[in-house]
Amino acid sequence: MVQLRPRASRAPASAEAMVDESQPASEEEAEHGLLLGQPSSGAAAEPLEEDEEGEDDFDDEAPEELTFASAQAEAREEERRVRETVRRDKTLLKEKRKRREELFIEQKKRKLLPDTILEKLTTASQTSIKKSPAKLKEVNLQKKNEECEKGSDSKKVKVQKVQSVSQNKSYVALRLKDQDLRDSRQQAAQAFIHNSLYGPGTNRTTVNKFMSLANKRLPVKKAAAQFLNNAWGTQKKQNAKKFKRRWVIRKMKTPRK
Amino acid sequence: MGEFKVHRVRFFNYVPSGIRCVAYNNQSNRLAVSRTDGTVEIYNLSANYFQEKFFPGHESRATEALCWAAGQRLFSAGLNGEIIEYDLQALNIKYAVDAFGGPIWSMTASPSGSQLLVGCEDGSVKLFQITPDKIQFERNFDRQKSRILSLSWHPSGTHIAAGSIDYITVFDVKSGSTIHKMTVDRQYMGASKRKCIVWGVVFLSDGTVISVDSAGKVQFWDSATGTLVKNHLISNADVLSIAVADHEDSFVVGTAEGTVFHFQLVPVTSNSSEKQWVRTKPFQHHTHDVRAVAHSPTALISGGTDTHLVIRPLMEKIEVKNYDAALRKITFPHRRLISCSKRRQLLLFQFAHHLELWRLGSTVATGKNGDTLPLSKNADHLLHLKTKGPENIICSCISPCGSWIAYSTASRFFLCRLNYDQDNISLKRVSKMPAFLHSALHILFSEDSAKLFVASNQGSLHVMQLLEGSFKHLHTFQPPSGGNLVTGHRESLGGHIWQMKTLELHCTVPAYNFPVTALAIAPNTNNLVLAHSDQQVFEYSIPDKQYTEWSRTIQKQGFHQVWLQRDTPITHISFHPKRPMHILLHDAYMFCIIDKSLPLLFLDLLDEKTLVAVERPLDDIIAQLPPPIKKKKFGT
């Protein structure tokens, strides 16, 4: 706040430097003049505002008198200006936001179904399945439409049916979020039961071994039920077949001597 | 007798799906069985264990629980989180209600039959009220930390036991709060890292809770104090299911090794009043996990991953010791999966989601009886037709001339036209189906392949005319109220026969107590031959509208004992074109020719499941099942 300014030297070259520095300092001082009272440091009391005067005799001049009132007025001006700018900014932002909201609403409206269908859906949710005689456009009703759920209970009703007589089609409106949840739960349940019956820790064996157990205990021991593993080494067998074919062709090509 | 060249077909790779749940209905003596592909079958145990109805499966329906409630209503719940009620008259699904608890693991009906309880993945137990046309959510019980895998009501309806992972909870029904939480040991006398899953609980009327878990233990708990009373270690592998009899003096458990144990309440000494539970009989009828058991008043029923349904009557409960008292093993479905086109020697195989068309191989060699002739031309796999969508195929048929294939799922009907040119085959689907043709229970082509009969599940029969490129609806038969179906459908109790030319009701075959398992009309003599589930065979003459002479004499004499003792129903009847006196029939184990001129039958035993000699050795099926538990045998 109170900055120690370099003492005004007699050298003229540094006068501008000093003068430049002093301007912001003096403004600050003026603002905080109310708080700090008179500038306390001695260096600040130096006459640094005499920019109009020439460099020659600013030393001898007395500092300009700055009344308290003027300083106060200036401070108030500053504040007012700042407040104005802030208000303007705020209003600008507000307008921007308003415009954006409107734009979004427009887009959403365009995206949603026409009102006729929505009406029908909400009325259909109260009475079970209603035949609507009006024509319905071919719309994909599986989109997430929250408006649809207005008329129905909060989370209970997930599926609504609307039947249109003219086109002989029936629509079912589903919330995709719920369907995913349901599927994931069902999968988790199936994974649970698979793990508990066939997972690690259960004492399971293969069907082949199970059926061969009897063969092993016969007085004349027989082989296992599925003794050959036909899927063994398929890649090797395929490679061998290819090689054999190529070799035979090569042999045929070269003339026998 | 006649000589035949028998085509032994072994390339039908049919693997039945494993049994997941079994529910026994005491009042009607019926058994509902649900499989892993979502099919639900209903067996009539009094009609010689005949499978009378079935609901086709669906890919998304993984049923985990099945129960009968409120009389004759059947409910199932599965991992898709929905409770489904089945309409037994119309043979379709009445409705599906989402329980909003995630996948449902268990379901049970209250002793009064008016409430339904489900145990869900998120640990909540939900109570539903059964209203005359639907079910309604009533309230939730206290939520538990882990999934509820098994439920049981106390016979008085005041308490509920719920088995979860590592513990069992006892709830009070009125308030919905937990009374006791009983921790289950992870291993019998020891510690283990694997959590103990309580697969089944049963609540007895004296307050005892019996639980079976994945450590192989059967434990008896006292629900009043919440303490363990008795502990039985019966297996090294999981014990997967438990069912108790109505009188609460015996129960049955099934293990993952395929063993079924019978526990009985016997007095401690011969004349004391104190009783204790003793493990009496082990049965090893299964090779893989036994995931469902049921206890009827006279028999133990078990089913599991090896796809067999085994019904073991208990000797002490049977009064009359006749053939009924033997073991029944139901392996193959009691409906037709194969149809044949005689002229072109094609076979159409029906699987759950696709159809396969094969041409039979031919041979030019000749030989004596019993020789195996070498094939000069191998069987050809002509067509692999996949269905779109998650539903299973209900029925399919190929026309005798081989140019039409029709099949149906639960919601749609498909008809395709085949064109043959030299050795190539091209398929074209007939796209526009009439609106009333949704799903068919049975499809049949007429002999000249010009007409198609479709039996829909609303009880009406549609007749279509097949023309070159398209087909057109000719007539719809509506049976008068009471009658079910017509020629080609096996479920009718009283059949109606319509005259094809004049399209009007011709006559009615008198009803019989037992359902019909197969019927066919002889081409030359126009006689209708019916086989019923109690192994009776009737022949009915259509022009004369009465039973034929032969049939009457047979009835008077009665069938031979051996014939009546066969346990699998007759699935198919066909006729030899040149010998009108012969009727060919077959069931799962036997193929026989009835010669009407001889006083009795001629039995010609062949291998398993012969339908135009298609064999399905059981070993092949076992080879494609999921892995079984390892059994350590000495010396291996």
Side-chain angles (χ1 to χ4, degrees), chain A residues 2-247:
Chain A
V2 178
Q3 287 176 8
L4 282 179
R5 273 170 291 270
R7 284 191 152 266
S9 63
R10 310 269 165 181
S14 54
E16 287 94 9
M18 282 202 306
V19 169
D20 286 342
E21 274 180 314
S22 74
Q23 285 293 31
S26 64
E27 284 204 15
E28 267 184 289
E29 262 182 22
E31 274 192 33
H32 297 287
L34 303 163
L35 304 165
L36 293 175
Q38 298 300 316
S40 47
S41 71
E46 287 216 331
L48 296 167
E49 300 204 32
E50 308 146 313
D51 36 356
E52 305 90 31
E53 286 194 26
E55 300 101 55
D56 34 351
D57 49 3
F58 76 96
D59 271 349
D60 308 330
E61 290 272 337
E64 197 176 309
E65 288 262 338
L66 198 64
T67 57
F68 182 68
S70 66
Q72 202 179 34
E74 249 190 72
R76 278 212 199 95
E77 274 293 321
E78 276 304 316
E79 274 180 35
R80 201 175 48 84
R81 252 182 276 139
V82 166
R83 256 184 269 140
E84 281 292 331
T85 43
V86 164
R87 212 185 306 144
R88 242 182 292 129
D89 284 340
K90 268 198 194 146
T91 45
L92 270 169
L93 252 158
K94 234 187 192 171
E95 275 183 38
K96 234 187 180 180
R97 258 186 254 138
K98 225 192 241 173
R99 260 183 276 131
R100 258 220 181 127
E101 284 287 321
E102 280 171 8
L103 182 68
F104 286 156
I105 293 174
E106 276 289 328
Q107 284 182 342
K108 215 177 195 179
K109 256 209 176 122
R110 259 184 274 139
K111 225 179 143 195
L112 286 177
L113 303 168
D115 281 321
T116 47
I117 301 183
L118 289 179
E119 262 176 41
K120 294 214 175 56
L121 285 175
T122 48
T123 50
S125 71
Q126 274 117 32
T127 67
S128 42
I129 295 178
K130 209 173 170 185
K131 285 203 176 172
S132 65
K135 266 190 292 184
L136 289 175
K137 280 194 275 182
E138 283 263 339
V139 176
N140 180 12
L141 274 185
Q142 283 215 0
K143 285 195 271 194
K144 261 196 260 197
N145 39 2
E146 285 87 334
E147 254 84 327
C148 216
E149 314 249 332
K150 255 194 312 203
S152 48
D153 302 336
S154 50
K155 284 170 208 156
K156 294 282 179 175
V157 175
K158 291 178 191 171
V159 167
Q160 296 160 1
K161 267 199 181 150
V162 172
Q163 276 188 356
S164 134
V165 172
S166 64
Q167 298 195 342
N168 245 355
K169 290 188 177 73
S170 70
Y171 293 92
V172 172
L174 294 173
R175 264 180 63 170
L176 286 180
K177 235 195 301 189
D178 299 329
Q179 193 61 35
D180 286 343
L181 181 66
R182 186 191 274 206
D183 284 341
S184 70
R185 276 169 125 178
Q186 198 169 347
Q187 273 179 11
Q190 278 168 344
F192 161 73
I193 207 168
H194 189 266
N195 261 346
S196 50
L197 286 178
Y198 297 105
T202 52
N203 209 5
R204 297 276 168 181
T205 173
T206 64
V207 175
N208 183 21
K209 286 189 189 161
F210 184 75
M211 294 202 301
S212 317
L213 218 51
N215 286 350
K216 273 184 149 185
R217 302 194 77 203
L218 290 175
V220 180
K221 310 264 182 276
K222 284 195 337 192
Q226 284 173 1
F227 188 66
L228 292 173
N229 182 3
N230 291 326
W232 179 84
T234 40
Q235 191 57 40
K236 275 193 186 172
K237 285 184 188 161
Q238 272 178 6
N239 291 347
K241 227 197 309 186
K242 274 192 222 156
F243 177 76
K244 196 170 30 171
R245 213 182 326 134
R246 277 192 232 124
W247 186 86

Side-chain angles (χ1 to χ4, degrees), chain B residues 368-415:
Chain B
K368 310 189 303 287
N369 263 349
D371 270 358
T372 313
L373 304 171
L375 285 177
S376 57
K377 192 173 125 182
N378 275 339
D380 245 341
H381 184 178
L382 292 176
L383 190 64
H384 182 107
L385 192 62
K386 268 202 201 148
T387 50
K388 283 187 257 196
E391 292 167 341
N392 287 10
I393 301 179
I394 302 179
C395 53
S396 63
C397 193
I398 184 171
S399 64
C401 66
S403 14
W404 297 93
I405 289 181
Y407 63 98
S408 148
T409 63
S411 58
R412 292 178 73 186
F413 182 85
F414 299 87
L415 181 66

Side-chain angles (χ1 to χ4, degrees), chain B residues 51-121:
Chain B
Q51 175 192 63
E52 48 174 27
K53 296 182 209 206
F54 82 102
F55 298 88
H58 196 275
E59 250 172 24
S60 67
R61 272 194 263 137
T63 38
E64 287 286 323
L66 194 64
C67 77
W68 292 92
Q72 301 298 316
R73 297 172 76 168
L74 182 64
F75 293 92
S76 85
L79 292 182
N80 57 1
E82 293 180 345
I83 303 175
I84 300 174
E85 179 170 358
Y86 294 91
D87 188 345
L88 294 170
Q89 306 309 319
L91 285 186
N92 56 7
I93 295 187
K94 252 195 205 163
Y95 54 82
V97 171
D98 199 332
F100 299 110
I104 299 178
W105 289 102
S106 53
M107 184 167 70
T108 179
S110 70
S112 59
S114 56
Q115 288 174 317
L116 202 62
L117 204 67
V118 291
C120 307
E121 164 90 0

Side-chain angles (χ1 to χ4, degrees), chain B residues 178-194:
Chain B
T178 57
I179 301 182
H180 288 297
K181 193 167 158 180
M182 307 173 317
T183 327
V184 178
D185 290 332
R186 283 191 177 176
Q187 205 182 8
Y188 183 74
M189 311 273 230
S192 163
K193 258 202 255 174
R194 295 196 83 222

